[in-house]
Amino acid sequence: MSILNNALSGAVASQLALSASSQNIANLQTKGYTRQSALLSAVAPAAGSSQAGNGVRVTELMRFSDSYKTQQMWRSASDLGAHSQTQPYLTQLEKVMGDDTASLSSGVDGFFAALNSVAGVDPTSTPLRQQVVTAAGLLAQRFNSMNNVYNAQLQSVRQQRSALVDSANTTIASIASLNAQIANANATGSNPSALIDARDQAIDSLAGQMGLEVSDQPDGTRNVSLKTGQSLVLGGVPGKLSVSGGAAQTFSLTFAGTTFDLDTTKAGGQLGGLSVYEQDTLLPLQQGVAEMAQQIADKVNTQLKAGYAMDGSAGKPLFVYNPGSTSNMLQVADGYQTSDLAFSGDGKPGDTGNLQQLVAIKSQTITMAKIGTVLISDADTQLVGRLAVDSQQNKGALKTAQTMRDQAVADWQSTSGVNQDEEAVHLVEYQNMYQANMKVMSVANALFDATLQMMG
């Protein structure tokens, strides 16, 4: 009977081990699946017994998981998310601001080239004067177009962050729910592996959206918090992120009835990357272009007021700067005529005294908050150069983050992923184990029948 019991325990154990390997192979392509294996141990004989043992049993279904490698994968997801979300915006601005047909430098050059043409030919020529007014309109249009690009990106960034908050809240609630299910499964002795995989996948997704700190708890749950310390999930209790405001978004986190303000530039992940891009790159560029437009308009208008128009009257401002306008930041004054251009310095129609002063403005300097004092002719080049540096730095950081993410995923796969060849070997081993135990059972039955016959 002991032989029969041993063989039966071996057959049952091999069936469970086969089931675990077949489950692994079935989930070979399942993202985030952690392989499992039956842990076998010998059953010791009772105290004082002369038997060799009482067979084998499956003590547990073991998950092949390395907490360090999992944490590394989540951290790399946060770094990758921060840089991957901002690069498309940087690339778009590089193309727009670096395009000679649309750049501000080209518009500035065109305006002062038109002034030079008048100065070199005939300051009273209506066609040449019209070229100046037309060039002024094109310059204003370029400033407005660039400002519209910035406004469109700002709107896109803010919409994207709002969508990230909604998505994160869904994921946070899912993690808390899975925590509760895992704790219950552990308490009742059920296998929580599939629930743990689902939770880890949810954490990985959330880690791409914001930087996280994750800690394991004795009951199998995982607490999740922002890297700045605020709790997102404690056991089965979720927090909730909120965003309010229109043009100036504010973010907060509510947990257990208490609300905290969040600085999203420190949040990490996609949310932090977008906020850092808005604050450190996009808004300073928009401010720089606005400062450039205002100071060029002020210098040209001031100089025109110092001269005389064709009819001898005092000069009028050519540009109107509207800082509050989203689409017409700079424009030519309504009803402005070619005869209003005050090129004369002494009131005589053919004089070019004031025109020469207008031409010289291009060689003057303007002061921009993020760049400093630069020549008007170099201002746009300085802005584009700064943008190029930001873009190159982000590209380098993105490449590094992608490499780190790929390596972290590969490390995780080496421990937790399913190896098809390895599982095929296990299938053969456990099948042989099953067949061998069935053979033992057959021998035990034969011995048992022979014994009965002898006793009969």
Side-chain angles (χ1 to χ4, degrees):
M1 289 300 295
S2 63
I3 297 174
L4 191 61
N5 286 335
N6 286 344
L8 180 60
S9 70
V12 171
S14 61
Q15 281 184 319
L16 291 172
L18 279 168
S19 177
S21 287
S22 66
Q23 172 74 357
N24 290 340
I25 293 174
N27 287 279
L28 184 64
Q29 300 299 327
T30 301
K31 183 180 180 181
Y33 175 79
T34 302
R35 67 189 176 100
Q36 304 173 61
S37 179
L39 183 62
L40 306 180
S41 63
V43 181
S49 172
S50 60
Q51 293 182 180
N54 290 325
V56 65
R57 65 188 177 93
V58 176
T59 55
E60 66 173 311
L61 280 176
M62 183 172 60
R63 297 178 78 251
F64 287 84
S65 178
D66 186 320
S67 179
Y68 171 77
K69 291 181 178 180
T70 304
Q71 293 276 1
Q72 285 294 100
M73 191 168 64
W74 292 337
R75 290 190 183 96
S76 64
S78 176
D79 291 339
L80 181 60
H83 298 294
S84 63
Q85 292 299 304
T86 57
Q87 192 56 51
Y89 291 107
L90 288 165
T91 300
Q92 182 191 42
L93 285 187
E94 277 192 293
K95 290 180 179 179
V96 173
M97 294 185 69
D99 184 359
D100 289 339
T101 62
S103 70
L104 298 180
S105 290
S106 179
V108 170
D109 290 343
F111 175 68
F112 285 102
L115 289 174
N116 264 316
S117 295
V118 178
V121 181
D122 179 9
T124 64
S125 170
T126 299
L128 292 177
R129 283 173 166 261
Q130 184 59 53
Q131 286 185 15
V132 172
V133 176
T134 301
L138 291 174
L139 176 60
Q141 184 179 355
R142 294 200 179 199
F143 274 105
N144 293 332
S145 296
M146 194 63 65
N147 193 50
N148 288 337
V149 171
Y150 296 141
N151 286 328
Q153 282 206 357
L154 282 171
Q155 184 178 11
S156 178
V157 166
R158 289 161 182 168
Q159 288 176 344
Q160 197 171 355
R161 286 189 305 198
S162 295
L164 282 171
V165 166
D166 293 338
S167 175
N169 282 331
T170 300
T171 306
I172 290 168
S174 176
I175 294 170
S177 175
L178 287 165
N179 265 344
Q181 295 176 60
I182 290 167
N184 181 64
N186 287 331
T188 58
S190 302
N191 181 8
S193 184
L195 295 171
I196 295 174
D197 286 346
R199 181 188 61 188
D200 287 357
Q201 278 291 100
I203 294 175
D204 189 63
S205 174
L206 186 63
Q209 296 172 331
M210 56 197 70
L212 302 178
E213 294 293 338
V214 182
S215 58
D216 294 331
Q217 303 304 306
D219 61 355
T221 61
R222 278 179 164 156
N223 292 342
V224 182
S225 63
L226 291 171
K227 64 179 184 178
T228 49
Q230 297 90 342
S231 293
L232 296 174
V233 179
L234 284 181
V237 181
K240 185 175 182 180
L241 297 166
S242 300
V243 56
S244 59
Q249 289 180 319
T250 57
F251 296 82
S252 61
L253 169 64
T254 301
F255 191 90
T258 303
T259 300
F260 309 89
D261 292 333
L262 294 180
D263 180 359
T264 53
T265 61
K266 300 177 181 178
Q270 298 171 6
L271 184 62
L274 289 171
S275 297
V276 169
Y277 170 71
E278 178 188 27
Q279 178 172 295
D280 293 351
T281 301
L282 185 54
L283 288 176
L285 277 174
Q286 186 174 38
Q287 179 186 358
V289 168
E291 291 169 344
M292 186 177 170
Q294 181 181 15
Q295 292 180 62
I296 289 176
D298 287 346
K299 286 179 177 294
V300 171
N301 288 342
T302 299
Q303 193 60 54
L304 284 172
K305 289 180 182 179
Y308 298 92
M310 289 283 288
D311 60 1
S313 61
K316 300 177 181 178
L318 173 61
F319 291 111
V320 177
Y321 176 69
N322 302 304
S325 176
T326 57
S327 57
N328 289 305
M329 176 178 64
L330 187 67
Q331 61 187 88
V332 174
D334 289 341
Y336 204 91
Q337 303 296 320
T338 58
S339 58
D340 295 328
L341 290 168
F343 291 158
S344 174
D346 58 8
K348 298 178 181 179
D351 180 63
T352 61
N354 202 45
L355 177 57
Q356 298 297 331
Q357 296 298 319
L358 286 167
V359 171
I361 289 176
K362 187 180 180 181
S363 300
Q364 294 179 10
T365 61
I366 57 176
T367 301
M368 303 166 74
K370 298 296 182 180
I371 295 178
T373 301
V374 295
L375 293 173
I376 288 178
S377 57
D378 293 338
D380 182 54
T381 303
Q382 293 279 352
L383 289 175
V384 174
R386 176 173 175 166
L387 172 63
V389 170
D390 289 345
S391 182
Q392 285 302 115
Q393 288 178 341
N394 191 73
K395 285 178 181 177
L398 176 57
K399 185 176 181 180
T400 300
Q402 185 65 65
T403 300
M404 295 296 293
R405 172 66 175 178
D406 292 342
Q407 185 61 51
V409 171
D411 287 345
W412 181 89
Q413 284 282 357
S414 67
T415 298
S416 302
V418 178
N419 185 302
Q420 185 174 1
D421 294 335
E422 182 180 345
E423 296 302 332
V425 171
H426 287 166
L427 284 177
V428 174
E429 289 177 346
Y430 295 136
Q431 182 184 22
N432 290 338
M433 177 182 171
Y434 177 80
Q435 291 173 344
N437 278 284
M438 293 304 292
K439 182 65 175 178
V440 171
M441 292 176 67
S442 176
V443 171
N445 281 327
L447 289 173
F448 186 68
D449 290 343
T451 303
L452 287 178
Q453 290 177 2
M454 288 175 61
M455 293 177 64

